[in-house]
Amino acid sequence: MGEILVEVATDVAFAHGVPAQLGISGDALNVAAAAAAAGARVGLLSVLTDDDLGKAIAARIVELGISPGLLTFRAGQQGVYLVHCDPDGQREFSYARSGSVGSSLGPDDVDPAVFAAAGSVVAGGIACAISASTRAAVVKAAALARRFVFDPNFRPRLTSVEDATEALLQLAPRTFLVTPSFPGETSALLGCSTAAEAAAKLRSLGAANVAVTCGAEGIQLEGEGRDSAWMDSVPAPSVVDQTGAGDAFVGTLTARLVLGDSLPVAARLGAAAASLVVGGKGGTGFIPSLEQTRAHAATAGTASSTPTGWTA
């Protein structure tokens, strides 16, 4: 659940007349696309414009293997962002999303029967930040879900540290899985100086499972009744654009957990999917199939640490 954005991407710095590529992205869509590619049956709760642009976005959603059944169409403007794609991660973003139809998502859009029946519900800090109504929708969904997955996805341009921290602390006790990034989010929102410390703190707040992503280094895992485990990253074959990599990790990890994989196995596939996604341009420029993800994960081996009680 969340906002879908129109993506305008360039390979050079923003300027008049530079060539750009139009795409459809946003964290919610990126997560949903990755989950569908990983084998899950996925619906996407979002609001689109009731015009030709909204129809085109809905067509792209279907093309990605996602059900359009939870989409709502309303009058208004679609959120847009411009991005200068840099393989080294030094990207420039500019957003035009204030008052977008996506930010009109609210608690009344959350169908209790659908959300209680879902194998998992995924939401992020961006949805909590774009409006009071979307945050209320996330809180309602978290209360209904059997497995609620939350990606803090802290964006200083959208919200303050204080508000993002409040959202995380409010939702952590209800989460089946929370996926903060280190060091940015764990330091700003949790005051933790290590990934292991952040994982332990979130577990103490009530999160059932934690996967702290540490960029190119790896992932810190901690789950119910199990010791912490460190998992090395999966190297990317090529890097074109890092947009959507974290979302691919969350979507793939969640899908595989719902489909029965253990946390380390699901996290390994999530890391492999993320490292393949950066080979495409844009949030959904390249979404690897499950077969491609599994093959790539196999080339990098298994978790570097598998404590007693984990199944790798």
Side-chain angles (χ1 to χ4, degrees):
M1 58 186 298
E3 183 181 29
I4 301 173
L5 298 170
V6 174
E7 174 188 79
V8 181
T10 75
D11 292 324
V12 294
F14 298 143
H16 176 74
V18 301
Q21 177 175 299
L22 189 68
I24 311 299
S25 188
D27 63 315
L29 177 61
N30 303 341
V31 169
R41 188 162 63 100
V42 182
L44 178 56
L45 179 68
S46 193
V47 183
L48 304 177
T49 53
D50 58 352
D51 55 17
D52 289 343
L53 178 58
K55 293 176 183 177
I57 294 172
R60 174 59 173 162
I61 289 169
V62 172
E63 185 179 83
L64 290 167
I66 303 162
S67 169
L70 300 180
L71 296 174
T72 297
F73 296 85
R74 294 175 184 151
Q77 66 176 38
Q78 197 71 42
V80 178
Y81 75 92
L82 286 76
V83 59
H84 160 219
C85 303
D86 185 335
D88 294 327
Q90 304 302 312
R91 296 165 293 165
E92 299 176 22
F93 287 88
S94 181
Y95 290 89
R97 72 195 313 176
S98 179
S100 68
V101 290
S103 66
S104 73
L105 184 73
D108 289 345
D109 297 310
V110 177
D111 185 332
V114 171
F115 278 73
S120 183
V121 173
V122 185
I126 291 176
C128 291
I130 58 176
S131 73
S133 68
T134 56
R135 176 167 171 172
V138 170
V139 171
K140 179 178 178 180
L144 292 167
R146 288 186 287 162
R147 299 185 189 94
F148 179 68
V149 175
F150 185 67
D151 181 5
N153 230 337
F154 173 52
R155 296 290 184 269
R157 289 188 181 184
L158 281 180
T159 188
S160 66
V161 169
E162 292 77 16
D163 284 349
T165 300
E166 181 184 359
L168 177 58
L169 296 180
Q170 179 184 17
L171 293 166
R174 303 178 181 180
T175 58
F176 170 72
L177 172 69
V178 61
T179 60
S181 64
F182 171 85
E185 290 172 353
T186 56
S187 175
L189 307 185
L190 296 169
C192 296
S193 57
T194 68
E197 181 187 358
K201 184 168 184 176
L202 286 165
R203 287 279 293 124
S204 72
L205 291 171
N209 299 284
V210 182
V212 182
T213 57
C214 304
E217 298 301 315
I219 306 158
Q220 184 72 41
L221 301 175
E222 188 160 325
E224 294 177 292
R226 295 179 171 88
D227 296 329
S228 294
W230 173 260
M231 179 177 292
D232 289 335
S233 63
V234 180
S238 66
V239 180
V240 174
D241 178 15
Q242 297 187 38
T243 303
D247 302 327
F249 172 76
V250 173
T252 303
L253 169 58
T254 302
R256 297 315 309 171
L257 286 173
V258 170
L259 293 169
D261 288 351
S262 68
L263 182 57
V265 169
R268 196 65 182 172
L269 291 171
S275 75
L276 289 173
V277 162
V278 299
K281 183 183 292 186
T284 61
F286 175 61
I287 303 296
S289 67
L290 181 57
E291 291 74 19
Q292 290 172 313
T293 296
R294 281 181 166 150
H296 185 47
T299 65
T302 57
S304 60
S305 175
T306 308
T308 303
W310 287 105
T311 302

